[in-house]
Amino acid sequence: RSFNGPKELGRRLVDEDLVGPCFVEQYTSFAQGRPLSDDELGIASAWYDRFTADDNRFDVFLLDQIASPQFVTKREVPVGGGQ
């Protein structure tokens, strides 16, 4: 679909729910310090559901992540990226 200018593009990205899932996945990957494994992508999907339930509030999302077991438990990835 076409759009007219950056404002309309931004609105479409938000309205069509394209930004939120990508944001949560990328932020979760950043917090882990590596690309997410398949099972972690499922966790990121659950984080996204929670993020939207909290009206897309980044502060709540960040505090929820910090309080989670995934945040305090480092998962070692074998050399070579075998996830």
Side-chain angles (χ1 to χ4, degrees):
R1 293 175 25 184
S2 63
F3 58 91
N4 185 14
K7 184 175 181 179
E8 188 175 334
L9 172 62
R11 178 58 33 215
R12 285 222 177 148
L13 290 172
V14 171
D15 289 349
E16 295 176 15
D17 202 25
L18 300 173
V19 174
C22 181
F23 162 73
V24 170
E25 183 179 324
Q26 293 302 314
Y27 182 83
T28 303
S29 176
F30 172 77
Q32 293 294 322
R34 59 182 164 67
L36 300 177
S37 65
D38 289 341
D39 61 326
E40 290 170 324
L41 288 171
I43 293 169
S45 179
W47 278 118
Y48 174 68
D49 293 341
R50 195 160 176 182
F51 180 61
T52 57
D54 290 327
D55 295 323
N56 300 330
R57 290 197 44 199
F58 179 70
D59 59 333
V60 174
F61 170 72
L62 186 60
L63 290 172
D64 283 346
Q65 276 212 338
I66 291 169
S68 76
Q70 293 88 6
F71 186 83
V72 297
T73 305
K74 183 176 180 178
R75 179 177 174 199
E76 295 292 333
V77 177
V79 175
Q83 299 174 14

Coordinates of all heavy atoms in Angstrom, one line a residue:
R1 N 0.8 -1.2 0.0 CA 0.0 0.0 0.0 C 0.9 1.2 0.0 O 1.9 1.3 0.6 CB -0.9 0.0 1.2 CG -1.9 -1.1 1.2 CD -2.8 -1.3 2.4 NE -3.0 -0.2 3.2 CZ -3.6 -0.1 4.3 NH1 -4.2 -1.2 4.8 NH2 -3.8 1.0 5.0
S2 N 0.4 2.2 -0.7 CA 1.2 3.5 -0.7 C 0.9 4.4 0.5 O -0.1 4.1 1.2 CB 0.9 4.2 -2.0 OG -0.5 4.6 -2.1
F3 N 1.7 5.4 0.7 CA 1.5 6.3 1.7 C 2.0 7.7 1.2 O 2.7 7.8 0.3 CB 2.3 5.9 3.0 CG 3.8 5.7 2.8 CD1 4.6 6.8 2.9 CD2 4.3 4.5 2.4 CE1 6.0 6.6 2.7 CE2 5.6 4.3 2.1 CZ 6.5 5.4 2.3
N4 N 1.7 8.7 2.0 CA 2.0 10.1 1.6 C 2.8 10.7 2.7 O 2.3 11.2 3.7 CB 0.8 10.9 1.3 CG 1.1 12.3 0.8 OD1 2.2 12.5 0.4 ND2 0.1 13.1 0.8
G5 N 4.2 10.6 2.6 CA 5.0 11.3 3.6 C 5.4 10.4 4.8 O 4.8 9.4 5.1
P6 N 6.4 10.9 5.6 CA 6.8 10.1 6.7 C 5.8 10.0 7.8 O 5.7 9.0 8.5 CB 8.1 10.9 7.2 CG 8.0 12.2 6.6 CD 7.2 12.1 5.3
K7 N 4.9 11.0 8.0 CA 3.9 10.9 9.1 C 3.0 9.8 8.8 O 2.6 9.0 9.7 CB 3.2 12.3 9.2 CG 2.2 12.3 10.3 CD 1.6 13.7 10.5 CE 0.6 13.7 11.6 NZ 0.1 15.1 11.8
E8 N 2.5 9.7 7.5 CA 1.6 8.6 7.2 C 2.3 7.3 7.3 O 1.7 6.3 7.7 CB 1.0 8.9 5.8 CG -0.1 7.9 5.5 CD -0.8 8.2 4.2 OE1 -0.8 9.4 3.7 OE2 -1.3 7.2 3.6
L9 N 3.5 7.2 6.8 CA 4.3 6.0 6.9 C 4.3 5.5 8.4 O 4.1 4.4 8.7 CB 5.7 6.1 6.4 CG 6.6 4.9 6.6 CD1 6.1 3.7 5.9 CD2 8.0 5.3 6.1
G10 N 4.7 6.4 9.3 CA 4.8 6.1 10.7 C 3.5 5.6 11.3 O 3.4 4.6 12.0
R11 N 2.4 6.3 10.9 CA 1.1 5.9 11.3 C 0.7 4.5 10.8 O 0.2 3.7 11.6 CB 0.0 6.9 10.9 CG -1.4 6.6 11.2 CD -1.8 6.4 12.7 NE -1.0 7.2 13.6 CZ -0.7 6.8 14.9 NH1 -1.0 5.6 15.3 NH2 0.0 7.6 15.6
R12 N 1.0 4.2 9.6 CA 0.7 2.9 9.0 C 1.5 1.8 9.7 O 1.0 0.7 10.0 CB 1.0 2.8 7.5 CG 0.0 3.6 6.8 CD -0.4 2.8 5.5 NE -1.4 3.5 4.9 CZ -1.6 3.5 3.6 NH1 -0.7 2.9 2.8 NH2 -2.6 4.2 3.0
L13 N 2.8 2.1 10.0 CA 3.6 1.1 10.7 C 3.1 0.7 12.0 O 3.1 -0.4 12.5 CB 5.1 1.6 10.8 CG 5.9 1.6 9.5 CD1 7.2 2.4 9.8 CD2 6.1 0.3 8.9
V14 N 2.6 1.7 12.7 CA 2.0 1.5 14.1 C 0.6 0.8 13.9 O 0.4 -0.2 14.6 CB 1.9 2.8 14.8 CG1 1.1 2.7 16.1 CG2 3.3 3.4 15.2
D15 N -0.2 1.4 13.1 CA -1.6 0.8 12.9 C -1.6 -0.6 12.5 O -2.4 -1.4 12.8 CB -2.4 1.7 12.0 CG -2.8 3.1 12.6 OD1 -2.6 3.3 13.8 OD2 -3.2 3.9 11.8
E16 N -0.6 -0.9 11.6 CA -0.6 -2.3 11.0 C 0.3 -3.2 11.9 O 0.6 -4.3 11.5 CB -0.1 -2.2 9.6 CG -1.1 -1.5 8.7 CD -0.7 -1.4 7.3 OE1 0.3 -2.0 6.8 OE2 -1.3 -0.5 6.6
D17 N 0.7 -2.8 13.1 CA 1.4 -3.6 14.0 C 2.7 -4.1 13.5 O 3.0 -5.3 13.7 CB 0.5 -4.7 14.6 CG 0.9 -5.2 15.9 OD1 1.6 -4.4 16.7 OD2 0.6 -6.3 16.2
L18 N 3.5 -3.3 12.8 CA 4.7 -3.8 12.2 C 5.9 -3.4 13.1 O 6.9 -4.1 13.0 CB 4.9 -3.2 10.8 CG 3.8 -3.6 9.8 CD1 4.0 -2.8 8.5 CD2 3.8 -5.1 9.6
V19 N 5.8 -2.4 13.9 CA 7.0 -1.9 14.6 C 7.1 -2.6 15.9 O 8.2 -3.0 16.3 CB 6.8 -0.4 14.9 CG1 8.0 0.1 15.8 CG2 6.9 0.4 13.6
G20 N 6.0 -2.8 16.7 CA 6.1 -3.4 18.0 C 6.8 -4.7 18.1 O 7.7 -4.9 18.9
P21 N 6.4 -5.7 17.3 CA 7.1 -7.0 17.4 C 8.6 -7.0 17.0 O 9.4 -7.6 17.7 CB 6.3 -7.9 16.3 CG 5.0 -7.2 16.1 CD 5.3 -5.8 16.4
C22 N 8.9 -6.1 16.0 CA 10.3 -6.0 15.7 C 11.1 -5.3 16.8 O 12.2 -5.7 17.2 CB 10.4 -5.2 14.4 SG 12.1 -4.9 13.8
F23 N 10.5 -4.3 17.4 CA 11.2 -3.6 18.5 C 11.5 -4.6 19.7 O 12.6 -4.6 20.2 CB 10.3 -2.4 19.0 CG 10.7 -2.0 20.4 CD1 11.9 -1.2 20.6 CD2 9.9 -2.3 21.5 CE1 12.3 -0.8 21.8 CE2 10.3 -1.9 22.8 CZ 11.5 -1.2 22.9
V24 N 10.5 -5.3 20.1 CA 10.6 -6.2 21.2 C 11.7 -7.3 20.9 O 12.5 -7.6 21.7 CB 9.3 -6.8 21.6 CG1 9.5 -8.0 22.7 CG2 8.3 -5.8 22.2
E25 N 11.6 -7.9 19.7 CA 12.6 -8.9 19.3 C 14.0 -8.3 19.3 O 15.0 -8.9 19.9 CB 12.3 -9.5 18.0 CG 13.2 -10.6 17.6 CD 12.8 -11.2 16.2 OE1 11.6 -11.3 15.9 OE2 13.8 -11.5 15.5
Q26 N 14.2 -7.1 18.7 CA 15.5 -6.5 18.6 C 16.0 -6.1 20.0 O 17.2 -6.3 20.3 CB 15.5 -5.3 17.7 CG 15.2 -5.7 16.2 CD 16.3 -6.7 15.7 OE1 17.5 -6.5 15.9 NE2 15.8 -7.7 15.0
Y27 N 15.2 -5.6 20.8 CA 15.6 -5.2 22.2 C 16.0 -6.4 23.0 O 17.0 -6.4 23.7 CB 14.5 -4.3 22.9 CG 15.0 -3.9 24.2 CD1 15.8 -2.8 24.3 CD2 14.8 -4.7 25.4 CE1 16.4 -2.4 25.6 CE2 15.3 -4.3 26.6 CZ 16.1 -3.1 26.7 OH 16.7 -2.8 27.9
T28 N 15.2 -7.4 22.9 CA 15.5 -8.7 23.6 C 16.8 -9.3 23.2 O 17.6 -9.7 24.0 CB 14.4 -9.7 23.5 OG1 13.1 -9.0 24.0 CG2 14.6 -10.9 24.4
S29 N 17.1 -9.3 21.9 CA 18.4 -9.7 21.4 C 19.5 -8.9 21.9 O 20.5 -9.4 22.3 CB 18.3 -9.7 19.8 OG 19.6 -10.1 19.3
F30 N 19.3 -7.6 21.9 CA 20.3 -6.6 22.4 C 20.6 -6.9 23.9 O 21.8 -7.0 24.3 CB 19.8 -5.2 22.2 CG 20.7 -4.2 22.9 CD1 21.9 -3.8 22.3 CD2 20.3 -3.6 24.1 CE1 22.8 -2.9 23.0 CE2 21.1 -2.7 24.7 CZ 22.4 -2.3 24.2
A31 N 19.6 -7.1 24.7 CA 19.7 -7.4 26.1 C 20.5 -8.7 26.3 O 21.2 -8.8 27.3 CB 18.4 -7.4 26.8
Q32 N 20.3 -9.7 25.4 CA 21.0 -11.0 25.6 C 22.4 -10.9 25.0 O 23.2 -11.8 25.4 CB 20.2 -12.1 24.8 CG 18.9 -12.4 25.4 CD 19.0 -13.1 26.7 OE1 19.9 -13.9 27.0 NE2 18.1 -12.7 27.6
G33 N 22.7 -9.9 24.2 CA 24.0 -9.7 23.7 C 24.3 -10.7 22.5 O 25.5 -10.9 22.2
R34 N 23.2 -11.2 21.9 CA 23.4 -12.1 20.8 C 22.1 -12.3 20.1 O 21.0 -12.0 20.6 CB 23.9 -13.4 21.2 CG 23.0 -14.1 22.2 CD 23.6 -15.4 22.8 NE 22.9 -15.8 24.0 CZ 21.6 -16.2 24.0 NH1 20.9 -16.2 23.0 NH2 21.1 -16.5 25.2
P35 N 22.1 -12.9 18.9 CA 20.8 -13.2 18.2 C 20.0 -14.2 19.1 O 20.6 -15.1 19.8 CB 21.2 -13.9 16.9 CG 22.6 -13.4 16.7 CD 23.2 -13.2 18.0
L36 N 18.7 -14.2 19.0 CA 17.9 -15.1 19.8 C 17.8 -16.4 19.1 O 17.7 -16.5 17.9 CB 16.5 -14.5 19.9 CG 16.4 -13.1 20.6 CD1 15.0 -12.6 20.6 CD2 17.0 -13.2 22.0
S37 N 17.7 -17.5 20.0 CA 17.5 -18.8 19.5 C 16.0 -18.9 19.2 O 15.2 -18.1 19.5 CB 17.9 -19.8 20.5 OG 17.1 -19.7 21.7
D38 N 15.6 -20.1 18.6 CA 14.2 -20.3 18.2 C 13.3 -20.2 19.5 O 12.2 -19.6 19.5 CB 14.0 -21.6 17.5 CG 14.5 -21.5 16.1 OD1 14.8 -20.4 15.5 OD2 14.8 -22.6 15.5
D39 N 13.7 -20.9 20.6 CA 12.9 -20.9 21.8 C 12.9 -19.5 22.4 O 11.8 -19.1 22.9 CB 13.4 -21.9 22.8 CG 14.8 -21.7 23.3 OD1 15.6 -21.3 22.5 OD2 15.0 -22.1 24.5
E40 N 13.9 -18.7 22.2 CA 13.9 -17.3 22.8 C 13.0 -16.4 21.9 O 12.5 -15.4 22.4 CB 15.3 -16.8 22.8 CG 16.2 -17.5 23.9 CD 17.6 -17.1 23.8 OE1 18.2 -17.0 22.7 OE2 18.2 -17.0 24.9
L41 N 12.9 -16.7 20.6 CA 11.9 -16.0 19.8 C 10.5 -16.2 20.3 O 9.7 -15.2 20.3 CB 12.0 -16.4 18.3 CG 13.3 -16.0 17.6 CD1 13.4 -16.6 16.2 CD2 13.3 -14.4 17.5
G42 N 10.2 -17.3 20.8 CA 8.9 -17.6 21.4 C 8.8 -16.7 22.7 O 7.7 -16.2 23.0
I43 N 9.8 -16.6 23.5 CA 9.8 -15.8 24.7 C 9.6 -14.3 24.3 O 8.8 -13.6 24.9 CB 11.1 -16.0 25.5 CG1 11.1 -17.4 26.1 CG2 11.2 -14.9 26.6 CD1 12.4 -17.8 26.7
A44 N 10.3 -13.9 23.2 CA 10.1 -12.5 22.7 C 8.7 -12.3 22.3 O 8.1 -11.2 22.5 CB 11.1 -12.2 21.6
S45 N 8.0 -13.3 21.7 CA 6.6 -13.1 21.3 C 5.8 -12.9 22.5 O 4.9 -12.1 22.5 CB 6.2 -14.3 20.5 OG 4.9 -14.2 20.1
A46 N 6.0 -13.7 23.6 CA 5.3 -13.5 24.8 C 5.5 -12.1 25.4 O 4.6 -11.4 26.0 CB 5.6 -14.6 25.8
W47 N 6.8 -11.6 25.3 CA 7.1 -10.3 25.8 C 6.3 -9.2 25.0 O 5.8 -8.2 25.6 CB 8.6 -10.0 25.6 CG 9.5 -10.5 26.7 CD1 10.4 -11.4 26.6 CD2 9.4 -10.2 28.1 NE1 11.0 -11.7 27.8 CE2 10.4 -10.9 28.8 CE3 8.6 -9.3 28.8 CZ2 10.6 -10.8 30.1 CZ3 8.9 -9.2 30.2 CH2 9.9 -10.0 30.8
Y48 N 6.2 -9.5 23.7 CA 5.4 -8.5 22.9 C 4.0 -8.5 23.3 O 3.4 -7.4 23.5 CB 5.5 -8.9 21.4 CG 4.6 -8.0 20.6 CD1 4.9 -6.6 20.5 CD2 3.5 -8.5 20.0 CE1 4.1 -5.8 19.8 CE2 2.6 -7.6 19.3 CZ 2.9 -6.3 19.2 OH 2.1 -5.5 18.5
D49 N 3.4 -9.6 23.6 CA 2.0 -9.7 24.1 C 1.8 -8.9 25.4 O 0.9 -8.1 25.6 CB 1.5 -11.1 24.3 CG 1.4 -11.9 23.0 OD1 1.3 -11.3 22.0 OD2 1.4 -13.1 23.1
R50 N 2.8 -9.0 26.3 CA 2.8 -8.3 27.5 C 3.0 -6.8 27.3 O 2.4 -5.9 27.9 CB 3.9 -8.8 28.4 CG 3.7 -8.4 29.9 CD 4.5 -9.3 30.7 NE 4.4 -8.8 32.1 CZ 5.0 -9.4 33.1 NH1 5.7 -10.5 33.0 NH2 4.8 -8.9 34.3
F51 N 3.9 -6.4 26.4 CA 4.2 -5.0 26.0 C 2.9 -4.4 25.5 O 2.6 -3.3 25.9 CB 5.3 -5.0 24.9 CG 5.7 -3.7 24.5 CD1 6.2 -2.7 25.3 CD2 5.6 -3.4 23.1 CE1 6.6 -1.5 24.8 CE2 6.0 -2.1 22.6 CZ 6.5 -1.2 23.5
T52 N 2.2 -5.0 24.6 CA 0.9 -4.4 24.1 C -0.1 -4.4 25.2 O -0.9 -3.4 25.2 CB 0.4 -5.2 22.9 OG1 0.2 -6.5 23.2 CG2 1.4 -5.1 21.7
A53 N -0.2 -5.3 26.1 CA -1.2 -5.3 27.2 C -0.9 -4.1 28.1 O -1.8 -3.6 28.8 CB -1.1 -6.6 28.0
D54 N 0.4 -3.7 28.2 CA 0.7 -2.5 29.0 C 0.7 -1.2 28.2 O 1.5 -0.3 28.5 CB 2.1 -2.8 29.7 CG 2.1 -3.8 30.7 OD1 1.0 -4.0 31.4 OD2 3.1 -4.5 30.9
D55 N 0.0 -1.2 27.1 CA -0.2 0.0 26.3 C 1.2 0.5 25.7 O 1.4 1.7 25.6 CB -0.8 1.2 27.1 CG -2.2 0.9 27.5 OD1 -2.9 0.2 26.7 OD2 -2.6 1.3 28.6
N56 N 2.0 -0.5 25.3 CA 3.3 -0.2 24.7 C 4.2 0.7 25.5 O 5.0 1.5 24.9 CB 3.1 0.3 23.3 CG 2.3 -0.6 22.4 OD1 2.4 -1.8 22.5 ND2 1.6 -0.1 21.4
R57 N 4.1 0.6 26.8 CA 4.9 1.4 27.7 C 6.3 0.8 27.8 O 6.5 -0.3 28.4 CB 4.3 1.6 29.0 CG 3.0 2.4 28.9 CD 2.5 3.0 30.2 NE 3.6 3.5 31.0 CZ 3.5 3.6 32.3 NH1 2.4 3.4 33.0 NH2 4.5 4.1 33.1
F58 N 7.3 1.5 27.3 CA 8.7 1.0 27.4 C 9.2 0.9 28.8 O 9.9 -0.1 29.1 CB 9.6 2.0 26.6 CG 11.1 1.5 26.6 CD1 11.5 0.4 26.0 CD2 12.0 2.2 27.4 CE1 12.8 -0.1 26.0 CE2 13.3 1.8 27.4 CZ 13.7 0.7 26.7
D59 N 8.8 1.8 29.7 CA 9.3 1.8 31.1 C 8.8 0.5 31.8 O 9.6 -0.2 32.5 CB 8.9 3.0 31.9 CG 7.4 3.3 31.9 OD1 6.7 2.9 31.0 OD2 7.0 3.9 32.9
V60 N 7.6 0.1 31.5 CA 7.0 -1.1 32.1 C 7.7 -2.3 31.5 O 8.0 -3.3 32.2 CB 5.5 -1.1 32.0 CG1 4.9 -2.4 32.4 CG2 4.8 0.0 32.7
F61 N 7.8 -2.3 30.2 CA 8.5 -3.4 29.5 C 9.9 -3.6 30.0 O 10.3 -4.7 30.3 CB 8.5 -3.1 28.0 CG 9.4 -4.0 27.2 CD1 9.0 -5.3 26.9 CD2 10.6 -3.5 26.6 CE1 9.8 -6.1 26.1 CE2 11.4 -4.4 25.8 CZ 11.0 -5.7 25.6
L62 N 10.7 -2.5 30.2 CA 12.0 -2.6 30.7 C 12.1 -3.2 32.1 O 12.8 -4.1 32.4 CB 12.7 -1.3 30.6 CG 14.2 -1.2 31.0 CD1 15.0 -2.1 30.0 CD2 14.7 0.2 30.9
L63 N 11.2 -2.7 33.0 CA 11.2 -3.2 34.4 C 10.7 -4.7 34.4 O 11.3 -5.4 35.2 CB 10.2 -2.3 35.2 CG 10.8 -0.9 35.5 CD1 9.7 -0.1 36.2 CD2 12.0 -1.0 36.3
D64 N 9.8 -5.0 33.6 CA 9.4 -6.5 33.5 C 10.5 -7.3 33.1 O 10.7 -8.4 33.6 CB 8.2 -6.6 32.5 CG 6.9 -6.2 33.1 OD1 6.8 -6.0 34.3 OD2 5.9 -6.0 32.3
Q65 N 11.3 -6.9 32.1 CA 12.4 -7.7 31.6 C 13.5 -7.8 32.7 O 14.0 -8.9 32.9 CB 13.0 -7.1 30.3 CG 12.3 -7.5 29.1 CD 13.2 -7.6 27.9 OE1 14.3 -7.0 27.8 NE2 12.8 -8.4 26.9
I66 N 13.8 -6.8 33.3 CA 14.8 -6.8 34.4 C 14.4 -7.7 35.5 O 15.3 -8.4 36.1 CB 15.1 -5.4 34.9 CG1 15.8 -4.6 33.8 CG2 16.0 -5.4 36.2 CD1 15.9 -3.1 34.1
A67 N 13.1 -7.8 35.8 CA 12.7 -8.6 36.9 C 12.5 -10.1 36.5 O 12.2 -10.9 37.4 CB 11.3 -8.1 37.4
S68 N 12.7 -10.4 35.2 CA 12.4 -11.8 34.8 C 13.6 -12.7 35.0 O 14.8 -12.3 35.1 CB 12.1 -11.8 33.3 OG 13.3 -11.6 32.5
P69 N 13.3 -14.0 35.1 CA 14.4 -15.0 35.3 C 15.4 -15.0 34.1 O 16.6 -15.2 34.3 CB 13.7 -16.3 35.4 CG 12.3 -16.0 35.8 CD 12.0 -14.6 35.2
Q70 N 14.8 -14.7 32.9 CA 15.7 -14.7 31.7 C 16.8 -13.6 31.8 O 17.8 -13.7 31.2 CB 14.9 -14.5 30.4 CG 13.9 -15.6 30.1 CD 12.6 -15.5 30.8 OE1 12.3 -14.5 31.4 NE2 11.8 -16.5 30.6
F71 N 16.5 -12.5 32.5 CA 17.4 -11.4 32.6 C 18.6 -11.8 33.5 O 19.7 -11.4 33.2 CB 16.7 -10.2 33.1 CG 17.6 -8.9 33.0 CD1 17.7 -8.2 31.9 CD2 18.2 -8.5 34.2 CE1 18.5 -7.1 31.8 CE2 19.1 -7.4 34.1 CZ 19.2 -6.7 33.0
V72 N 18.3 -12.5 34.5 CA 19.4 -12.8 35.5 C 20.1 -14.1 35.2 O 21.1 -14.4 35.8 CB 18.8 -12.7 37.0 CG1 18.3 -11.4 37.3 CG2 17.8 -13.8 37.2
T73 N 19.6 -14.9 34.3 CA 20.2 -16.2 34.0 C 20.8 -16.1 32.6 O 20.1 -16.0 31.6 CB 19.1 -17.3 34.0 OG1 18.5 -17.3 35.3 CG2 19.8 -18.6 33.8
K74 N 22.1 -16.1 32.6 CA 22.8 -16.1 31.3 C 22.8 -17.4 30.7 O 23.2 -18.4 31.3 CB 24.2 -15.6 31.5 CG 25.0 -15.4 30.2 CD 26.4 -14.8 30.4 CE 27.1 -14.7 29.0 NZ 28.4 -14.1 29.1
R75 N 22.4 -17.5 29.4 CA 22.4 -18.7 28.7 C 23.7 -18.7 27.8 O 23.9 -17.9 27.0 CB 21.2 -18.8 27.8 CG 21.2 -20.1 27.0 CD 19.9 -20.2 26.2 NE 20.0 -21.3 25.3 CZ 19.2 -21.5 24.3 NH1 18.3 -20.6 24.0 NH2 19.3 -22.6 23.5
E76 N 24.5 -19.7 28.0 CA 25.8 -19.8 27.2 C 25.4 -20.5 25.9 O 24.7 -21.5 25.8 CB 26.8 -20.7 28.0 CG 27.3 -20.1 29.2 CD 28.1 -18.8 29.1 OE1 28.7 -18.7 28.0 OE2 28.1 -18.0 30.0
V77 N 26.0 -19.9 24.8 CA 25.8 -20.4 23.5 C 27.1 -21.1 23.1 O 28.2 -20.4 23.2 CB 25.4 -19.3 22.5 CG1 25.3 -19.9 21.1 CG2 24.1 -18.7 22.9
P78 N 27.1 -22.3 22.6 CA 28.3 -23.0 22.2 C 29.1 -22.2 21.1 O 28.5 -21.5 20.3 CB 27.9 -24.3 21.7 CG 26.5 -24.5 22.2 CD 25.9 -23.2 22.4
V79 N 30.4 -22.3 21.1 CA 31.2 -21.6 20.1 C 30.7 -22.2 18.7 O 30.5 -23.3 18.5 CB 32.7 -21.9 20.3 CG1 33.5 -21.4 19.2 CG2 33.1 -21.4 21.6
G80 N 30.6 -21.3 17.8 CA 30.1 -21.6 16.5 C 28.6 -21.3 16.3 O 28.0 -21.5 15.3
G81 N 27.9 -20.9 17.4 CA 26.6 -20.4 17.4 C 25.5 -21.5 17.4 O 24.4 -21.3 17.1
G82 N 25.9 -22.7 17.7 CA 24.9 -23.8 17.8 C 23.9 -23.6 18.9 O 24.2 -23.8 20.1
Q83 N 22.8 -23.1 18.5 CA 21.8 -22.7 19.5 C 20.8 -23.9 19.7 O 19.9 -24.0 20.3 CB 21.1 -21.4 19.1 CG 22.1 -20.3 19.0 CD 21.4 -19.0 18.5 OE1 20.2 -18.9 18.4 NE2 22.2 -18.1 18.1

